[in-house]
Amino acid sequence: MKRVILLVLSSYLLLLFASCEEVIPVDPTTSEAMLVLNGVPSSGRQMSVFFAYSRYFLDESNNHPVEGAVVTMEVNGHSYRPDSMVRCNYWFPYTLQDDDTVTVRVDVGGTLVSAKTYVPRMPQVENLMAVIDTSGQVGESMGLGAFRLLAIGFDLQDYPNHDDYYCITVDQRDSGTHYWNYFNTYDTVDTTYLTYFVCLDKKLISPDVAAIQGMGDAFFNRLIFADDHIEGKNHHVSLMLLLLRDTTEVEPFIHEYTLHVESVTPERVKYLKDIATATSQLQIFSEPAPVYSNVDGALGIFAGNARRTYPLAPDTLAATSTTRRTISTRKPFHP
């Protein structure tokens, strides 16, 4: 319900500003298409890259191939040609590994597009546990009040003598029916989004290592940090999710949570930081913020990562007391 109220208020503000401004007509047929190259070479995954013309934002076809484009990928000095193409995604016969150096080159009628990155090492995660605190004691001890919390903890073993950058996110999937009492109607939803969590660890969130500052210095939907304060150490990471009750939900209503721990390159850090700035609610009052690109000859980003994903299911969770209970992604959960 809280999200709905925020959405209504945001919509009202946008309408208020729109009513004071001149409407500028846009003709997509006169917009100049630009070359776009995007790729996230990922450890343990097949190599691929997206290359196409830019599209009008209302065009949902997502299929604007560049005719005659010659795409090659070079990994550690070895060249590869694509063995398949799906729409504008080129796939190569190679599975990426940690520390691979990757260069993509595209020749479009003599115009050269290129970018270079590396594949970071897979994050070392151990002893993952997540529990739900229904007593309110944990929230009180952290200054969060008597909220019900989903507590997530794991050990992150940092690589010694190696510059590492990490990105932690938690996906939340909401699926089921809402009943709107005022309108006497039902609405069905099935959506997944990055949810906010609390992190109070100064070694991860201090301004000298965190790429994005959290709301109130504690709430994040994407925690990105350098390993300066945990260099070569086995560091325990603690996260907390506030489980707020939505009174419009009709049982059974499913809440599913998935933890992502990702190693990223500095280029991807810059890109994600600019995306966070560009999508900030404050941007409605200013010009669009520029987004970082490391591609020569085109728009886009080509930056490696290595990701571990953990659905928070019974086999990864444990209860620690009678005042706590586990969360299951296989059954509906009602906080």
Side-chain angles (χ1 to χ4, degrees):
M1 190 66 184
K2 189 175 180 180
R3 292 173 52 208
V4 174
I5 294 174
L6 288 174
L7 180 61
V8 171
L9 289 175
S10 299
S11 301
Y12 175 77
L13 287 173
L14 288 173
L15 289 174
L16 181 63
F17 280 99
S19 63
C20 302
E21 296 183 358
E22 180 182 359
V23 176
I24 302 176
V26 177
D27 183 0
T29 61
T30 62
S31 299
E32 181 182 358
M34 303 183 68
L35 296 174
V36 177
L37 186 148
N38 285 313
V40 186
S42 303
S43 181
R45 297 191 177 185
Q46 185 179 358
M47 186 165 55
S48 66
V49 68
F50 174 89
F51 185 68
Y53 284 114
S54 59
R55 62 183 178 88
Y56 182 53
F57 76 102
L58 292 179
D59 182 356
E60 298 180 353
S61 65
N62 195 31
N63 188 21
H64 298 269
V66 180
E67 297 295 335
V70 179
V71 184
T72 59
M73 198 82 77
E74 184 178 288
V75 182
N76 305 326
H78 299 281
S79 295
Y80 296 86
R81 295 292 300 273
D83 59 358
S84 63
M85 179 181 177
V86 180
R87 292 190 175 180
C88 300
N89 291 284
Y90 297 79
W91 295 87
F92 299 81
Y94 180 80
T95 299
L96 293 155
Q97 306 296 324
D98 292 2
D99 295 325
D100 279 346
T101 299
V102 188
T103 302
V104 59
R105 294 185 178 87
V106 184
D107 189 332
V108 184
T111 299
L112 180 63
V113 176
S114 65
K116 183 177 182 179
T117 188
Y118 69 92
V119 179
R121 298 176 182 179
M122 189 68 72
Q124 302 179 102
V125 177
E126 297 179 341
N127 303 321
L128 171 65
M129 185 177 69
V131 297
I132 290 178
D133 176 77
T134 59
S135 67
Q137 296 177 358
V138 176
E140 290 286 358
S141 67
M142 298 179 63
L144 298 175
F147 287 104
R148 292 183 177 185
L149 300 175
L150 169 59
I152 304 172
F154 59 89
D155 293 331
L156 179 62
Q157 177 62 61
D158 186 65
Y159 292 97
N161 304 316
H162 192 270
D163 292 333
D164 294 300
Y165 304 86
Y166 299 100
C167 176
I168 298 175
T169 57
V170 179
D171 282 346
Q172 177 174 337
R173 178 187 172 222
D174 294 342
S175 182
T177 301
H178 288 275
Y179 172 66
W180 306 109
N181 184 65
Y182 182 81
F183 300 102
N184 192 27
T185 59
Y186 290 89
D187 184 25
T188 301
V189 298
D190 191 349
T191 182
T192 300
Y193 55 92
L194 292 182
T195 191
Y196 278 88
F197 55 85
V198 176
C199 182
L200 302 176
D201 191 335
K202 296 301 182 182
K203 293 184 177 180
L204 310 183
I205 70 172
S206 59
D208 59 326
V209 295
I212 303 173
Q213 294 302 298
M215 293 191 303
D217 296 327
F219 287 85
F220 301 84
N221 68 349
R222 182 178 274 120
L223 175 57
I224 306 174
F225 59 93
D227 69 343
D228 296 27
H229 298 319
I230 62 172
E231 168 64 32
K233 298 178 181 179
N234 191 339
H235 185 75
H236 186 74
V237 180
S238 296
L239 312 174
M240 295 285 181
L241 274 74
L242 277 64
L243 301 179
L244 304 177
R245 186 184 299 274
D246 189 338
T247 58
T248 68
E249 294 174 359
V250 179
E251 295 188 13
F253 196 95
I254 298 174
H255 293 286
E256 296 180 345
Y257 299 87
T258 303
L259 171 69
H260 302 280
V261 182
E262 180 181 0
S263 296
V264 293
T265 62
E267 293 82 11
R268 185 159 172 80
V269 171
K270 295 177 183 178
Y271 173 75
L272 293 175
K273 180 179 179 179
D274 285 352
I275 287 294
T277 301
T279 56
S280 168
Q281 292 185 355
L282 295 178
Q283 283 299 309
I284 64 175
F285 303 107
S286 61
E287 293 293 327
V291 176
Y292 173 78
S293 172
N294 66 335
V295 178
D296 293 327
L299 303 175
I301 183 71
F302 189 70
N305 81 334
R307 174 185 289 188
R308 293 195 185 277
T309 295
Y310 302 95
L312 301 184
D315 56 349
T316 61
L317 304 176
T320 59
S321 73
T322 56
T323 61
R324 299 183 182 185
R325 59 193 175 95
T326 60
I327 178 174
S328 168
T329 61
R330 300 171 186 171
K331 297 179 181 179
F333 164 67
H334 309 283

